Each structure stands twice: as C-alpha cells, then as structure tokens.
Amino acid sequence: MAEEQPMETDIFGDDADDDLGEEIARADPDEIVQRTKMLENEVKVLRNETARLMHEQQMQKEKIKENNEKIKLNKQLPYLVANVVELLDMNVEDEPEEDGANVDLDAHRKGKCCVLKTSTRQTIFLPVPGLVEPEKLKPADLVGVNKDSYLILEALPAEFDSRVKAMEVDEKPTEEFTDVGGLDTQIQELVEAIVLPMTHKERFENIGIKPPKGALMYGPPGTGKTLIARACAAQTNACFLKLAGPQLVQMF
C-alpha cells in the first residue's frame, strides 16, 4: 500500500518553490555564494534597523515619562485663575521665505489660539492653549493656568460670587426678643425698621412711608447682635444667612 505524501503549503504563491528550485539549479556555485552573501548583508541591515528602532522606542518612552512628570508638576496647585476672552483661528500667511532668515514658529503654527484675562488683570495671548482641547473651550469659561507659562491646565467649574458661596443657611431661628436683656431701645428700633415693614407692609403703603432696606448693627463681641438678628428672622419667618464680614471685601 502506497504511503500518502504529506501536502506542502505554498507560502510563496503558485509554483513559487518550483521556480526557486529551478533558478537555484540553473545558477552556478559562485552566483549562489554571491546571493547568499547578499542575503546575509540584508539580514544584518535589518537587524541593525531593528536595534535602532528599539533604541529610538526606548528613548521615546523615557521622553514620555519625563514629560508626564513635568505635566504632573505643572498641574500642581495653586493655579492662576483666568477667563477665556476669545478663541482665534491661526491661518498661516503664504509669504516667501528668505534663505537664512529667522523663522517665527508661532506665525507658522496652525490651529486654535487663545486670549486670556487673568485674575491679576493681565491679558495673555497663547498660541498653544495648553492641556485642554480648544474645542472644549468657549469665551467666558473659567480656567486654571500655570502661574509662569500661563498654559491652560484645567477647565474650572462656572464661577459664582464668593459672597454667595460664603453664606450658610442656618437652621430656622427660634429666638424671641424676650431672650435678649438690656437692649429694649435697640429692639424697639429694629421692630419699627425691620419687623413691622415686613409683617404690616400695607400700613406703610397707606401712610406713604418708605421703610429702610436694612439695618447695620455694630458693637463689641457678645453684646447680642446675632441674637437680635435671629429674633428678627424668627418674628418675620425670614431665612437666616450666616456671612462673615471680611467676605464682603474683595480685592478687585
């Protein structure tokens, strides 16, 4: 019984092995030696190219690691807060270049550029916005920038008035004027100026008296200012907000 011959897979194409065998059979020994040396040289070149690419890859990995550390360092707080004023498209002008002339890289850069106004009242032009994609920015956005390079590091939440953020809604006051002792004159003035215009508004309208918009209480700590204010809020069913005085003062 004849044994079955194993089937050979043609990886070079149709009849590639036969053509290669015939070509080798027709070649003389010197030609075969020459082709062998050529193939060995090609293998050496490819190995050298592989080693060069691996070395370049390793260098790029080190640069990426170094740049990530720089980004991490630059993103450390504190940020300098700024507002986006305008986003501009940078179009490269077609101007003839002179040989040996200095090249302005910013003038030849394409894409979006940004104009910022910092909290220190400086207007900054950025040819390169930074780590935030320009498509994600729009005018009036609040951003955090590096205090030295002014590059945008992060988009910040919408800005709110610091005075509003400093206010705290306290629990509903339950104090009464009877809890305050020794301030009868001040209590009477506050009732006439604050409580009655809120509880009996129609009386003031009928008489034609315009009530005051508020009252300012001053004095040393512990004299009952907060207690009287809470009693006024309780009498008028008003919301009582706690706010520190220095929060009303802003730098600009």
Side-chain angles (χ1 to χ4, degrees), residues 7-172:
M7 296 180 63
E8 296 182 356
T9 304
D10 185 6
I11 61 174
F12 296 101
D14 297 337
D15 300 331
D17 291 339
D18 296 339
D19 295 342
L20 182 60
E22 292 177 0
E23 184 178 356
I24 294 175
R26 290 195 301 268
D28 55 3
D30 294 337
E31 186 177 353
I32 295 175
V33 172
Q34 185 178 0
R35 291 193 61 180
T36 303
K37 291 182 179 180
M38 291 176 60
L39 291 175
E40 291 177 353
N41 291 334
E42 289 183 5
V43 170
K44 290 181 180 180
V45 171
L46 292 175
R47 286 178 178 175
N48 292 334
E49 184 68 14
T50 302
R52 186 188 66 82
L53 292 175
M54 292 181 65
H55 178 71
E56 185 176 350
Q57 181 184 15
Q58 186 64 27
M59 294 293 294
Q60 293 296 332
K61 288 182 179 180
E62 293 178 359
K63 288 183 178 180
I64 291 174
K65 182 179 179 181
E66 182 180 356
N67 290 332
N68 287 333
E69 292 177 355
K70 289 182 179 180
I71 292 174
K72 184 178 179 181
L73 181 63
N74 290 331
K75 290 184 69 175
Q76 289 179 352
L77 297 177
Y79 292 161
L80 184 64
V81 180
N83 288 96
V84 178
V85 178
E86 193 173 0
L87 293 170
L88 305 173
D89 290 321
M90 298 187 67
N91 296 324
V92 180
E93 298 181 357
D94 295 332
E95 296 181 356
E97 297 183 359
E98 299 180 1
D99 294 338
N102 294 330
V103 178
D104 188 358
L105 296 179
D106 292 338
H108 289 74
R109 186 176 283 113
K110 297 181 180 180
K112 291 277 188 180
C113 60
C114 183
V115 179
L116 299 177
K117 193 172 187 66
T118 66
S119 57
T120 57
R121 295 186 176 182
Q122 291 179 300
T123 302
I124 307 297
F125 173 76
L126 293 177
V128 180
L131 302 182
V132 180
E133 294 294 334
E135 291 76 13
K136 298 180 180 179
L137 298 174
K138 61 181 181 298
D141 277 357
L142 196 67
V143 293
V145 301
N146 184 272
K147 60 182 182 298
D148 297 323
S149 63
Y150 298 105
L151 290 177
I152 299 175
L153 302 179
E154 187 176 356
L156 301 179
E159 183 178 15
F160 296 97
D161 194 334
S162 60
R163 294 172 294 180
V164 176
K165 291 193 291 185
M167 294 181 181
E168 296 181 17
V169 179
D170 203 353
E171 60 183 5
K172 185 177 180 180

Side-chain angles (χ1 to χ4, degrees), residues 234-247:
Q235 292 294 322
T236 57
N237 291 323
C239 181
F240 186 78
L241 299 176
K242 294 172 62 176
L243 176 62
Q247 296 292 339

Side-chain angles (χ1 to χ4, degrees), residues 173-177 180 195 226-236:
T174 57
E175 287 80 2
E176 298 180 358
F177 289 119
V180 184
V195 179
T226 304
L227 186 60
I228 293 178
R230 292 178 64 88
C232 285
Q235 292 294 322
T236 57

